[in-house]
Amino acid sequence: MEQKKKRSIMRGVILAILALAIGYTIYAAVTKDKIELITAGAEAPDFEVVDLNGEKHRLKEYKGQGVLLNFWGTWCEPCEREFPAMERQYESFKKQGVEIIAVNFAQSEFEVSKYVTNMGMTFPVAIDKTKSVFTAYNIGPLPTSIFIKPDGTIDRIITGEMSEVEIIQYLESIKPE
């Protein structure tokens, strides 16, 4: 009798957990659709991030310049492979009116700072601690790069690793006239 009672309670707990999991899955699917998908040609959502040096970066303040927003994580191997190419192009394109801002996916400041130092990254790197920028841009897999034209519209969205040739080509396409 005691054994049957324990089994019934265990089954009830398992059913409750399954019900919660199904409910969450449905909720996540329904609310994800409410996030407006960002597409080429659309106005880039404004945001403000603070980089590892304490400097604020607000997208609307870059109006008139091209901006590459690169979303990444320290565990992301394709991110690690494309950063050296971005770094090699950064100074040249910055002088031509194009900024690169790398936005990390809510990792610790210690972890990100150590990574940035090891990689020799000199462009602004910010941590999206609240994931608000990731949400605004509906970022899925990493890396994802958003190329924003000087007028504030999105030129293109690249999901996955880029070669240096592609990085140069895409940065050229967002240079101010």
Side-chain angles (χ1 to χ4, degrees):
M1 185 74 167
E2 188 67 31
Q3 199 71 345
K4 282 186 178 180
K5 192 174 183 181
K6 283 183 180 176
R7 245 186 272 140
S8 291
I9 291 172
M10 190 56 87
R11 286 181 184 149
V13 168
I14 290 170
L15 283 173
I17 291 170
L18 281 171
L20 284 170
I22 291 169
Y24 176 77
T25 302
I26 292 169
Y27 169 79
V30 169
T31 57
K32 185 170 174 82
D33 290 343
K34 290 183 182 174
I35 296 170
E36 192 175 317
L37 291 179
I38 304 299
T39 57
E43 185 76 22
D46 192 26
F47 64 86
E48 184 176 286
V49 291
V50 178
D51 69 21
L52 295 174
N53 298 324
E55 293 178 42
K56 287 184 180 177
H57 298 271
R58 186 155 190 181
L59 184 62
K60 73 178 187 180
E61 292 172 0
Y62 289 99
K63 204 108 173 156
Q65 296 179 55
V67 176
L68 162 54
L69 275 183
N70 178 264
F71 294 90
W72 68 285
T74 60
W75 67 88
C76 167
E77 289 180 20
C79 302
E80 189 172 338
R81 288 190 298 265
E82 72 182 5
F83 277 142
M86 282 184 204
E87 182 60 38
R88 282 191 293 273
Q89 300 307 317
Y90 177 59
E91 280 306 316
S92 168
F93 278 93
K94 184 173 176 65
K95 291 174 186 165
Q96 298 175 62
V98 176
E99 183 63 77
I100 296 175
I101 303 172
V103 183
N104 174 270
F105 185 72
Q107 292 183 265
S108 76
E109 195 164 326
F110 173 77
E111 192 174 13
V112 174
S113 294
K114 184 177 165 190
Y115 183 92
V116 167
T117 300
N118 289 343
M119 293 295 290
M121 297 158 66
T122 60
F123 45 84
V125 175
I127 302 169
D128 188 8
K129 293 176 180 159
T130 63
K131 301 179 189 136
S132 60
V133 184
F134 272 76
T135 301
Y137 283 86
N138 202 24
I139 300 302
L142 300 179
T144 294
S145 296
I146 314 268
F147 291 83
I148 303 168
K149 295 189 228 176
D151 67 1
T153 60
I154 295 172
D155 183 56
R156 71 188 73 223
I157 300 166
I158 305 296
T159 302
E161 184 179 349
M162 297 178 289
S163 69
E164 189 156 2
V165 170
E166 290 170 320
I167 291 169
I168 293 168
Q169 177 188 344
Y170 302 152
L171 290 173
E172 283 285 341
S173 74
I174 61 172
K175 279 190 334 191
E177 297 288 316

